[in-house]
Amino acid sequence: MAAAPSKQAYVPFVSVAHMMQLVHHIGVERFMADLAAEIEEDFRRWPLFDKTPRVASHSQVGVIELMPTSDGETYGFKYVNGHPSNMSRGLQTVTAFGLLADVATGYPLLLSEMTILTALRTASTSAMAAKWLAPKGAKTMALIGNGAQAEFQALAFKTICGIGEVRLYDIDPAATAKCARNLSGRGIEVICCTSASEAILGAQIITTVTADKQFATILTDNMVGAGVHINAVGGDCPGKTELHHDILMRSAIFVEYPPQTRIEGEIQQLAGDHPVTELWEVIAGRVPGRASAREVTLFDSVGFAIEDFSALRYVARALKDTGLCEQLDMIADPDDPRDLFGMVMRAG
Ligand code: NAD
C-alpha cells in the first residue's frame, strides 16, 4: 500500500515586528480601548473559565511563569519572566510569548509575541479597573516607575478614563525623561517630578509600576489622601511589593484572582483572610465598587491569565485580512494520523 502523503498544519505566528505593525494599523490608544472592552467582557463571564494561580519558577534574580486558562472552547497560556536586574544588563525586565489552542482538537490556533502585548493588556486592565473604582471625574494621575510599562499606562488612562495630566517620577531621571519624551504631543500634559511625594500632589489616581525584587515602600501611609485610587502594578511576586502595610489596612482592596494575588500581590503582607473584593464581581454588578468619595480604593494588580487570553483572542481577530503574521510549520500532522514514523522517513 502506498504510504499516505504528509500534510502540513500551519499555525499563524505574530512576531514582534508584526505586532508593532498591528499596533500602528489599529492605533495604540484604540488598541488598548478595544482590549479593555474585550477583557471586561471576559471578566463578566469569569466563572466559566478554568483558573489556577500561575506556575512560578523562582531564582535569586527573577521568576519565570506559565499562565494557563480556558473558557471551554479555547485554551490559552502565556510564558512570562520578571527579572528586575535585567535592565542593568540592557535586557527587558519582562518578556513574554503566548499561545491559543482549540479545546476540541488541542491544535494551536495562534502563537504570538507577548512582551508588547503584555504592556498593552496590563495598561488596559489597569484603566478598566480604574473606570470602575477611581473617583468620578479624575483628571490627574501620578505615575511612579517610568520604565517599559509606563507610557502604555499613561495612554490607557488617557483614552479609557479621561486622564489629562500625568505626574512622572522614577529613581532614574533618565527613565522619566524617556517617558516624557515619548508622551509629548499625545494630548496629555506631562509633569516631571523629582520625588514620589511631589508626583502625587493633586493626583486622584496613583499608579505604581516600579521593578525591584524586594519589599519596597514606594508609597507610605501619609502620602495617600482620602478618595484616591491606587493602581499598584509593580508588586507581582512573592517578596516584591510597593506599598506600606498601613495603606492596605485602610483601603478597599480589589484583586483579580485571590489565590494568586494572596501569593504575589500587595496583600501578601496581610493575613490570609483579610477581606478583598474580586474585580470581576464589581464588573458583573454583583457587588459595589467604590463605596464613597472619601474611600481609598486599591487595585492590587498582579496580572491574570484571563487578561492574556482576552488579548490573544483580540489579536487573532484583529489580524484577519492584514497579512501581519507568518505561517509556522510547528505541528506534525501526517495524513494518516498513525503514520508519524512514515512521514519522518519519507522526508529523508
Ligand atoms: P522596567 O524595569 O522597565 O521599569 C521599572 C522602573 O522602575 C525603572 O525605570 C526603575 O528605575 C524604576 N524604579 C525602581 N525602583 C523605584 C523606586 N523605588 N521609585 C521609583 N522608581 C523606581 O520594568 P517594567 O517592564 O516597566 O515593569 C515594572 C513592574 O511592573 C515590574 O515589577 C513588573 O514585574 C511589573 N508588571 C506587572 C504586571 C501586572 O500585570 N501587574 C504586568 C507587567 C509588569
Side-chain angles (χ1 to χ4, degrees):
M1 192 176 80
S6 64
K7 58 183 163 63
Q8 282 172 309
Y10 289 107
V11 179
F13 167 60
V14 184
S15 65
V16 173
H18 278 141
M19 184 63 77
M20 293 194 289
Q21 283 176 263
L22 187 64
V23 170
H24 281 281
H25 176 71
I26 296 170
V28 66
E29 290 183 34
R30 201 187 122 204
F31 194 120
M32 290 192 287
D34 288 353
L35 195 45
E38 188 94 11
I39 294 168
E40 198 169 275
E41 272 315 298
D42 282 337
F43 271 52
R44 284 182 208 283
R45 58 190 197 115
W46 188 268
L48 61 80
F49 281 89
D50 271 353
K51 290 176 284 296
T52 179
R54 57 186 156 196
V55 182
S57 172
H58 293 278
S59 68
Q60 294 284 34
V61 290
V63 64
I64 294 176
E65 297 165 324
L66 292 177
M67 302 171 69
T69 190
S70 166
D71 69 354
E73 276 181 27
T74 310
Y75 170 91
F77 81 85
K78 179 168 86 172
Y79 166 103
V80 63
N81 77 301
H83 284 67
S85 59
N86 268 4
M87 204 207 350
S88 61
R89 299 154 69 193
L91 302 172
Q92 287 282 113
T93 298
V94 175
T95 69
F97 66 88
L99 182 128
L100 279 185
D102 178 18
V103 167
T105 61
Y107 273 34
L109 299 169
L110 178 78
L111 178 68
S112 178
E113 88 76 39
M114 288 193 80
T115 305
I116 298 164
L117 194 55
T118 293
L120 293 160
R121 78 83 155 116
T122 303
S124 294
T125 305
S126 286
M128 177 198 76
K131 199 182 79 178
W132 290 89
L133 303 176
K136 290 276 162 285
K139 286 280 171 255
T140 301
M141 177 166 88
L143 183 51
I144 303 175
N146 303 152
Q149 310 299 317
E151 296 89 339
F152 297 93
Q153 290 279 332
L155 292 177
F157 275 83
K158 176 199 151 198
T159 195
I160 295 165
C161 304
I163 287 297
E165 177 182 303
V166 276
R167 301 176 63 81
L168 307 180
Y169 171 65
D170 194 291
I171 41 169
D172 181 356
T176 302
K178 174 264 331 178
C179 190
R181 213 166 40 242
N182 283 339
L183 290 175
S184 84
R186 292 202 164 266
I188 188 162
E189 194 176 339
V190 178
I191 318 270
C192 298
C193 303
T194 53
S195 67
S197 314
E198 185 190 345
I200 62 166
L201 288 178
Q204 298 93 16
I205 299 177
I206 303 174
T207 289
T208 55
V209 62
T210 67
D212 209 348
K213 199 166 168 55
Q214 62 162 346
F215 292 108
T217 308
I218 308 301
L219 294 181
T220 51
D221 192 30
N222 62 341
M223 292 165 77
V224 178
V228 161
H229 174 68
I230 305 171
N231 169 43
V233 179
D236 60 354
C237 211
K240 180 164 168 260
T241 57
E242 296 181 302
L243 307 183
H244 191 281
H245 170 271
D246 293 351
I247 299 174
L248 308 182
M249 295 308 288
R250 66 185 178 96
S251 300
I253 303 173
F254 298 82
V255 303
E256 290 141 316
Y257 180 56
Q260 181 177 311
T261 312
R262 291 206 190 270
I263 299 169
E264 302 178 352
E266 296 299 324
I267 60 170
Q268 65 187 276
Q269 303 179 65
L270 302 179
D273 59 354
H274 188 95
V276 298
T277 303
E278 296 187 47
L279 183 59
W280 77 268
E281 292 199 282
V282 177
I283 292 169
R286 292 181 173 214
V287 298
R290 164 174 290 274
S292 75
R294 292 190 58 77
E295 186 171 55
V296 175
T297 50
L298 164 62
F299 176 42
D300 186 1
S301 157
V302 292
F304 190 61
I306 293 173
E307 295 146 26
D308 298 308
F309 175 97
S310 313
L312 284 168
R313 218 191 26 203
Y314 172 71
V315 166
R317 224 180 31 248
L319 272 183
K320 294 244 161 68
D321 305 323
T322 64
L324 295 176
C325 64
E326 294 153 46
Q327 298 296 331
L328 279 193
D329 178 19
M330 67 178 260
I331 296 298
D333 190 31
D335 275 357
D336 174 352
R338 286 174 298 194
D339 195 20
L340 185 63
F341 184 82
M343 184 183 81
V344 175
M345 290 305 115
R346 284 192 298 282

